Amino acid sequence: MVHPTLEALQQQVVEHLRLIYPEEDHEALAQRLIHAVGAEGHCVMARPRSEPWDQRDLIVITYGDSLRREGERPLHTLKRFVDHYLSHVATGIHILPFFPYSSDDGFAVIDYAQVNPSLGEWADIRDIAEETRLMADLVINHCSSRSRWFEQFKADEAPGRDYFITADPDEDYHQVVRPRTSELLKPVTTAAGERHVWCTFSHDQVDLNFANPQVLVEMVRIIQLYLSQGVSIFRLDAVAFLWKEAGTSCLNLPQTHEIVRLLRTLVSFYDPRILLITETNIPNRENLAYFGNGNEAHAIYNFSLPPLLLHTMLTGDCNALKLWQMSMPPAQMGTTYLNFIASHDGIGLRPVEGLLEEKQIADIATTMEAFGGRISWRSLGEGGLRPYEINIALYDAMKGTLQGPDQYQQARFLCAHAIMLSLEGLPAIYLHSLLATENDLDKVANTGNNRSINRHCWDADALEAHLVDVKSHHHQVFVGLCQLARLRQDQAAFHPSATQFVLHLGDELFGVWRQSQRRDQSIFAVANVTDQVQTLRLSSLNLIGTQNWWDLLSGDDYPDLHGDIELAPYQSVWLTNRSRETAT
């Protein structure tokens, strides 16, 4: 593919801007955006390999201070841990917002241009980026009420006075979709009198006004700063809420999609290896729209996977998971799913609207509360509340079934990850899942924030003591997950874009057939999702009779293709036709 010239880039940007800002001087604004991203003086002419990921890739998600050691900057502690424990597992690290902030554990950004001094400095960020692909959050929808821009807004001073959305509190906003129960509008005393600002998430997180093109220019400048510090993957936080328009839901509006396309055009010119990932915790069909026509997000968070996989493990019934996977379109070349089952946030429930019945969702919520979890709620436009997300450490979420706790917590936890790692897409594992961290109820009590339950801060020395103790569940889970991840790295059939077919093996066995892009390797990944022994009949799989088949996980050979495999509760098999020499 020929790299576009600056002239061609200018025209592409102008076309985006015509759809976003019909009344603006598109040529002049395009030049400002191109200058803001630094495109005139920097573009990588070499194209990446056909796709910027393969089966070796795995992202670990963490806060900058999830690990602490006295007398050491947390980002330095994190780098030491990554170098020592994760270099053979992870090819990317997603450090959650590492900027000065006022609330929401980083997602109310005070200053986009600084590293939080309590974590470290830009040099620490660059050090991490030198060793691994660094993913960072572009908190694009809102900023802190303590930011310089909002202080300017209150003082009625440029440029911040025009950076935020103001609205009439007497208007009707019942159509607006929101993930929170707080009032949408916040009254603020300013030098120009009382004004009401738009707050989708909290009153400390004030929505930016992208109807003002200068806000877009500012955000592109921030992207350029992060690029200069080594960031190569951008997570567009809460991007679905970006554009507001009276009389609409203010969610997934056409201008929002066009802004994502514009950002992709700009960063792809700067360096085609840069990736944009949209974080849109919304129903499945709406989430898929952020692929566009292969011209929006490079990857989208696969938000339906965590609640569906949790439902599967709690019920021993994979039917809903199977039907959803069967209905999912293969990602176009150059795009992929970001698969995850735990993160710094809770397990979202909006993505299973229409995929699970209300009683099934209620059963999950009730069981998670019994396992120590919390439920966060959202307001409905017509009044009332609905569960928005489950807040719980994933290890504790797997301690039992709908019938209660049992002895299969660890097996169930590893089984869930074996399924996730086998699916089409790019896998991401939350650090606290790798470490089998349990609910942090003390932190919830201290912060009053349900999400704190899964945001524990480890003493690094204490953690390392657990990781070398073979009797510790932290050690056992960490070793088990690392083994799964390393096995996956060597299998061409687990390339994020390799062909996937969902298998029909009943409700107790979930399975997919993955086939490498060169069709020289097949893997039949099958998991027993129940607490009972289940029989897998090999004759129900498309095993080619002229080839030898063996299980990557156990090492067992299966020469009799008409035989059976007895799968223990929550046991997985990855049956492959590649020789042991080429598969390891």
Side-chain angles (χ1 to χ4, degrees):
M1 183 183 295
V2 178
H3 197 284
T5 63
L6 272 173
E7 181 180 355
L9 174 65
Q10 170 88 8
Q11 189 55 44
Q12 290 175 33
V13 173
V14 165
E15 292 305 313
H16 293 304
L17 293 174
R18 291 187 198 279
L19 298 174
I20 304 168
Y21 305 109
E23 306 301 322
E24 292 294 323
D25 181 341
H26 304 119
E27 296 286 344
L29 182 54
Q31 290 178 11
R32 291 172 64 200
L33 288 167
I34 291 170
H35 178 72
V37 83
E40 301 106 320
H42 179 99
C43 65
V44 176
M45 300 301 291
R47 306 301 297 181
R49 57 184 187 266
S50 58
E51 291 184 295
W53 44 67
D54 61 25
Q55 66 274 13
R56 294 169 293 182
D57 290 312
L58 183 146
I59 296 171
V60 170
I61 306 165
T62 181
Y63 276 103
D65 62 352
S66 291
L67 308 174
R68 289 182 173 274
R69 180 176 284 111
E70 188 173 353
E72 189 171 65
R73 293 194 301 270
L75 287 174
H76 184 62
T77 305
L78 174 62
K79 184 179 187 303
R80 287 179 58 181
F81 185 85
V82 169
D83 290 347
H84 186 72
Y85 288 96
L86 300 181
S87 60
H88 63 297
V89 173
T91 57
I93 300 294
H94 174 198
I95 305 179
L96 291 153
F98 46 78
F99 322 105
Y101 69 95
S102 54
S103 65
D104 198 17
D105 284 350
F107 287 92
V109 178
I110 293 175
D111 187 346
Y112 289 90
Q114 297 296 324
V115 174
N116 190 335
S118 68
L119 298 177
E121 53 193 31
W122 280 117
D124 299 308
I125 294 295
R126 293 193 297 271
D127 286 346
I128 293 171
E130 286 180 2
E131 302 296 330
T132 185
R133 297 198 73 178
L134 177 60
M135 178 170 166
D137 289 271
L138 186 68
V139 185
I140 192 170
N141 178 72
H142 50 262
C143 69
S144 169
S145 65
R146 289 172 46 194
S147 66
R148 175 173 53 87
W149 292 342
F150 199 69
E151 291 298 325
Q152 292 170 347
F153 173 83
K154 290 190 293 185
D156 196 34
E157 296 175 352
R161 66 183 172 200
D162 299 316
Y163 279 13
F164 300 92
I165 300 169
T166 59
D168 183 348
D170 294 326
E171 293 294 326
D172 182 4
Y173 301 101
H174 79 277
Q175 294 186 64
V176 176
V177 173
R178 298 184 59 229
R180 299 291 186 271
T181 59
S182 57
E183 292 294 326
L184 173 64
L185 302 181
K186 171 188 177 181
V188 178
T189 300
T190 77
E194 183 177 75
R195 305 174 75 183
H196 289 77
V197 294
W198 193 288
C199 301
T200 297
F201 290 90
S202 79
H203 285 184
D204 187 41
Q205 295 165 294
V206 190
D207 286 40
L208 292 163
N209 180 19
F210 278 86
N212 175 2
Q214 181 58 32
V215 173
L216 178 60
V217 174
E218 291 279 13
M219 202 55 63
V220 172
R221 288 174 180 157
I222 292 165
I223 289 174
Q224 201 285 325
L225 170 64
Y226 296 174
L227 288 169
S228 72
Q229 301 300 321
V231 174
S232 59
I233 307 174
F234 290 85
R235 175 185 182 269
L236 304 185
D237 177 64
V239 69
F241 300 92
L242 199 65
W243 195 273
K244 283 77 175 178
E245 194 167 288
T248 74
S249 66
C250 299
L251 183 69
N252 308 315
L253 296 187
Q255 295 92 334
T256 295
H257 283 281
E258 199 62 42
I259 287 174
V260 175
R261 295 185 193 112
L262 169 60
L263 295 179
R264 175 157 174 172
T265 295
L266 290 170
V267 300
S268 294
F269 184 91
Y270 182 90
D271 187 337
R273 296 166 295 190
I274 303 302
L275 303 182
L276 298 183
I277 302 181
T278 49
E279 187 268 335
T280 50
N281 192 356
I282 52 180
N284 189 57
R285 182 179 292 273
E286 298 169 36
N287 188 31
L288 290 170
Y290 282 87
F291 278 139
N293 188 26
N295 60 351
E296 288 190 40
H298 295 90
I300 62 172
Y301 274 75
N302 214 349
F303 273 109
S304 296
L305 179 59
L308 284 174
L309 193 47
L310 177 59
H311 165 75
T312 297
M313 293 298 167
L314 292 176
T315 62
D317 181 347
C318 69
N319 186 58
L321 177 65
K322 180 170 58 179
L323 291 177
W324 167 69
Q325 273 291 287
M326 289 171 59
S327 70
M328 290 289 279
Q332 298 182 47
M333 294 297 288
T335 67
T336 193
Y337 297 102
L338 186 79
N339 292 327
F340 72 107
I341 50 178
S343 73
H344 62 291
D345 287 340
I347 298 172
L349 296 175
R350 287 214 70 205
V352 288
E353 292 177 8
L355 301 176
L356 292 179
E357 298 174 1
E358 287 194 17
K359 184 182 184 305
Q360 292 174 314
I361 294 174
D363 286 344
I364 294 173
T366 300
T367 304
M368 292 300 96
E369 286 183 306
F371 293 171
R374 301 288 191 271
I375 307 299
S376 294
W377 302 81
R378 69 181 180 94
S379 297
L380 301 178
E382 63 275 12
L385 302 175
R386 177 171 291 175
Y388 173 69
E389 70 179 13
I390 297 164
N391 304 112
I392 193 168
L394 187 64
Y395 189 69
D396 280 336
M398 296 290 171
K399 67 169 55 175
T401 66
L402 295 184
Q403 282 67 51
D406 59 25
Q407 71 270 36
Y408 295 117
Q409 180 177 15
Q410 191 173 123
R412 187 180 292 111
F413 186 79
L414 291 172
C415 177
H417 283 87
I419 291 174
M420 185 268 283
L421 289 168
S422 72
L423 296 176
E424 174 191 350
L426 177 66
I429 300 181
Y430 189 37
L431 180 66
H432 288 302
S433 292
L434 274 172
L435 304 176
T437 307
E438 296 156 297
N439 290 335
D440 192 338
L441 298 177
D442 289 339
K443 192 168 185 178
V444 173
N446 290 335
T447 65
N449 182 358
N450 286 346
R451 287 179 166 177
S452 296
I453 199 169
N454 197 24
R455 298 177 178 179
H456 182 68
C457 290
W458 276 100
D459 175 84
D461 295 325
L463 172 62
E464 292 185 1
H466 284 301
L467 292 180
V468 298
D469 179 2
V470 295
K471 296 181 180 179
S472 163
H473 77 272
H474 304 289
H475 167 90
Q476 293 165 4
V477 166
F478 182 77
V479 169
L481 289 179
C482 288
Q483 288 175 341
L484 285 171
R486 293 183 71 179
L487 273 173
R488 183 186 185 279
Q489 291 174 338
D490 295 320
Q491 316 310 321
F494 282 150
H495 187 288
S497 302
T499 300
Q500 173 176 299
F501 294 100
V502 179
L503 303 175
H504 296 273
L505 303 171
D507 293 340
E508 296 80 15
L509 299 175
F510 177 79
V512 292
W513 173 17
R514 302 295 309 280
Q515 187 177 60
S516 63
Q517 294 171 305
R518 293 177 56 186
R519 298 188 178 183
D520 59 343
Q521 183 188 26
S522 286
I523 294 178
F524 291 85
V526 181
N528 175 4
V529 299
T530 77
D531 57 5
Q532 304 294 317
V533 173
Q534 302 292 336
T535 299
L536 170 62
R537 298 188 181 282
L538 293 178
S539 58
S540 64
L541 306 178
N542 293 29
L543 303 180
I544 299 172
T546 58
Q547 297 178 334
N548 297 319
W549 295 87
W550 62 291
D551 177 20
L552 286 162
L553 301 181
S554 69
D556 293 338
D557 290 293
Y558 292 97
D560 180 5
L561 302 189
H562 297 283
D564 297 334
I565 303 177
E566 295 295 311
L567 293 179
Y570 305 106
Q571 181 183 349
S572 298
V573 291
W574 288 352
L575 300 175
T576 184
N577 60 335
R578 289 183 76 185
S579 70
R580 296 176 192 271
E581 290 73 23
T582 58
T584 58

